[in-house]
Amino acid sequence: MATRRSGALGHLLSWRLLDHLHPDVNHNLRILHRGLALWSMKKDPALEAVLSRNRRWIVNNQIKHILLRAPNYTATVRSLQKKFKTLDLQGKALNWLHKYPCCFETFADDDGEVYFRFSKRMAALIDEEEAVRASTEPAMARRLAKLLMLSRDRRLNVVKLNELKRNFGLPDDYILRILPQYPDTFRVVNRYGRRNSMEIELVRWDPALAVSAVEALAAERGTEPRYICSLPPSWVKTRAKFDEFNDGTPYISPYSDNWKQSEKRSVGIVHELLSLTLWKKASIVKLEHFKREFGLPERLNLLLLQQPCIFYVSNRYKIYTVVLREGYRGSELVEKDPLVVAKDNLGELMQEGLHEYNRRRRLANLEKRRKRGEVEVRPTKEEEEEDEEEALRLHSAEKREERKRFYKVLFDENP
């Protein structure tokens, strides 16, 4: 009986201690106390928009990769139809392709077999993306070297790294494409001889790369390294707690040899990892795969929730994601990597194709209704003027920005 009472008393005291914390942290810790793995922070509409995804764009991106692997970038519609289930789609593949005339075009051979390929505009943007990727290979190599410098043993497992390669802008063939160009920086090792034990190892430490994003900004401003709070001034208690964390102990560089686990070092590691990603965000589950390599705490989720000034945590689509707040101004990236711009252009073309398809379908349905006498037939001139106004509306700068915000796609999460 005494044991049961003392346990109940301890449980009650632990809950009362939570009452003295900031309301947001209090609520988060109460959820965690009940045994849940993670709870997202108070919703930030702008950053939630960053995490929104459009299923149509994801599917078209997958179709793009299917064509890129096909001979002459041409494939049969029949072969695409067979893959529809893996794309989680129903209906006819030909109908889907016709919805995106700006992206794909179809044609039939003499035997009646229907093929599809990239439209000229789509092919041009894909060539542009490849040119950008080729021009940014040195930046990719630096990014990969910094990742290895952050790791405890200066090497990372290839299978694990592949989980985050898109976040860091690495192409699918980065091992064959990038590593051979830098033999004095990287080498591939396999200590156990198994396929899944292949690792990339750092050959040479570069002091010029051992500078974190926090240190680089401090050097630019002529100040001591310090984290930035990206929350509004109204978050008084949270900012006060953040200032205490920031000023309580000196900043620890994630590239230092100080591997003693501390909150300051762990925050620095995650901050630097997110700074190296193209979209300044990453899946928490995938980051947890690197706990040993980067010396991250066992309960990484709790660490992130305790620093709302630096990180934004969301469980949108039931995918736990952490976003670096300072990387965004509203829902727009502060600095866009050239590869991000190229991917945005592809996404915009996909959306433009859908708008064009919807416009044509609307006009076709209107014509059918006219023939049935359900609507009044307008003069041809007035109809043309209406179409011109619709085209101007769709192509206006405001609508393009609106579509960017509403249909943002997580290219790094979907092949």
Side-chain angles (χ1 to χ4, degrees):
M1 180 69 71
T3 304
R4 185 179 299 176
R5 285 180 178 175
S6 62
L9 180 60
H11 183 76
L12 179 62
L13 287 174
S14 65
W15 280 99
R16 286 182 174 175
L17 286 173
L18 293 177
D19 294 334
H20 297 285
L21 299 174
H22 185 275
D24 292 312
V25 177
N26 185 344
H27 185 63
N28 292 344
L29 293 180
R30 285 177 182 272
I31 297 291
L32 289 166
H33 191 78
R34 294 189 186 113
L36 296 181
L38 181 67
W39 188 83
S40 59
M41 296 175 174
K42 181 180 178 182
K43 299 297 181 185
D44 185 322
L47 293 180
E48 284 294 312
V50 170
L51 301 172
S52 67
R53 59 175 63 182
N54 184 294
R55 181 169 168 269
R56 293 176 181 273
W57 281 16
I58 294 171
V59 171
N60 283 331
N61 199 42
Q62 291 171 324
I63 294 175
K64 181 191 79 172
H65 283 277
I66 290 173
L67 274 183
L68 288 175
R69 291 191 291 267
N72 300 319
Y73 303 153
T74 303
T76 63
V77 175
R78 182 160 44 90
S79 66
L80 179 61
Q81 186 71 61
K82 292 179 180 178
K83 297 177 180 179
F84 247 37
K85 285 188 178 180
T86 60
L87 298 175
D88 197 23
L89 290 175
Q90 297 178 351
K92 294 183 178 181
L94 188 61
N95 292 342
W96 180 274
L97 295 172
H98 284 166
K99 289 181 179 180
Y100 299 91
C102 294
C103 303
F104 309 107
E105 57 184 38
T106 59
F107 64 96
D109 62 8
D110 296 336
D111 298 326
E113 182 76 64
V114 183
Y115 292 81
F116 73 104
R117 62 193 173 195
F118 295 123
S119 68
K120 290 183 179 180
R121 291 178 63 190
M122 183 76 164
L125 284 180
I126 289 174
D127 289 342
E128 178 187 324
E129 181 183 7
E130 182 57 31
V132 169
R133 199 182 297 277
S135 66
T136 56
E137 281 183 6
M140 294 179 193
R142 288 194 298 271
R143 207 174 291 129
L144 180 57
K146 288 173 77 73
L147 283 173
L148 294 173
M149 291 168 69
L150 287 172
S151 65
R152 188 186 299 271
D153 301 322
R154 313 304 182 217
R155 57 175 177 262
L156 291 172
N157 181 276
V158 172
V159 175
K160 285 186 177 182
L161 186 56
N162 285 345
E163 290 292 315
L164 284 171
K165 63 183 177 183
R166 298 190 190 282
N167 294 64
F168 298 109
L170 299 175
D172 293 334
D173 59 346
Y174 70 96
I175 293 179
L176 300 175
R177 181 172 182 168
I178 298 178
L179 269 58
Q181 297 184 43
Y182 301 91
D184 58 337
T185 305
F186 310 109
R187 71 179 168 201
V188 178
V189 296
N190 195 330
R191 294 176 295 163
Y192 305 106
R194 297 191 300 269
R195 187 176 179 180
N196 61 355
S197 63
M198 186 168 65
E199 297 175 314
I200 301 175
E201 188 175 63
L202 185 72
V203 176
R204 179 178 61 87
W205 179 275
D206 187 349
L209 295 180
V211 180
S212 68
V214 173
E215 291 171 314
L217 182 61
E220 183 181 326
R221 295 180 173 181
T223 60
E224 291 296 318
R226 198 173 189 275
Y227 294 108
I228 297 173
C229 183
S230 300
L231 287 176
S234 57
W235 292 58
V236 179
K237 291 184 179 179
T238 304
R239 292 179 71 97
K241 185 178 178 181
F242 168 76
D243 290 337
E244 182 181 344
F245 162 79
N246 227 358
D247 303 330
T249 56
Y251 172 79
I252 301 176
S253 173
Y255 297 101
S256 69
D257 291 330
N258 180 7
W259 282 96
K260 183 179 179 181
Q261 192 173 90
S262 65
E263 183 180 10
K264 204 87 168 190
R265 177 176 176 80
S266 297
V267 168
I269 285 283
V270 178
H271 186 285
E272 184 66 4
L273 286 172
L274 294 179
S275 297
L276 292 174
T277 63
L278 299 186
W279 287 274
K280 312 307 176 191
K281 59 185 175 64
S283 161
I284 295 177
V285 174
K286 291 181 180 180
L287 286 179
E288 287 180 332
H289 293 169
F290 295 91
K291 283 180 180 177
R292 185 190 66 80
E293 289 85 348
F294 295 129
L296 297 175
E298 190 64 31
R299 301 188 69 179
L300 177 60
N301 51 1
L302 185 56
L303 171 79
L304 300 174
L305 288 171
Q306 288 175 336
Q307 297 297 336
C309 279
I310 306 173
F311 308 118
Y312 176 70
V313 178
S314 172
N315 62 349
R316 188 167 187 143
Y317 306 110
K318 297 183 179 179
I319 299 174
Y320 298 131
T321 306
V322 55
V323 181
L324 186 63
R325 285 188 184 270
E326 66 193 66
Y328 285 85
R329 185 177 295 110
S331 59
E332 290 293 319
L333 277 166
V334 175
E335 294 182 6
K336 282 192 176 183
D337 187 270
L339 196 57
V340 173
V341 176
K343 288 183 178 292
D344 282 350
N345 291 338
L346 280 171
E348 276 293 291
L349 182 64
M350 291 178 187
Q351 189 58 32
E352 183 182 334
L354 181 60
H355 276 290
E356 175 65 19
Y357 168 79
N358 288 336
R359 189 185 72 85
R360 292 178 180 178
R361 187 175 62 174
R362 180 183 63 82
L363 293 176
N365 290 337
L366 185 61
E367 184 62 28
K368 288 180 182 179
R369 293 177 63 190
R370 285 173 179 168
K371 289 181 178 180
R372 293 196 298 263
E374 295 178 8
V375 295
E376 182 182 353
V377 179
R378 297 179 182 177
T380 306
K381 184 177 179 181
E382 183 180 350
E383 187 174 294
E384 289 178 353
E385 289 176 352
E386 184 185 67
D387 289 343
E388 289 178 3
E389 289 178 2
E390 176 71 2
L392 287 172
R393 185 182 68 83
L394 290 175
H395 290 84
S396 66
E398 292 79 9
K399 285 297 174 182
R400 285 201 303 272
E401 290 301 318
E402 181 180 342
R403 291 199 301 273
K404 275 186 181 180
R405 291 192 297 268
F406 188 73
Y407 295 111
K408 184 74 68 175
V409 180
L410 297 179
F411 283 96
D412 53 310
E413 295 289 347
N414 298 273

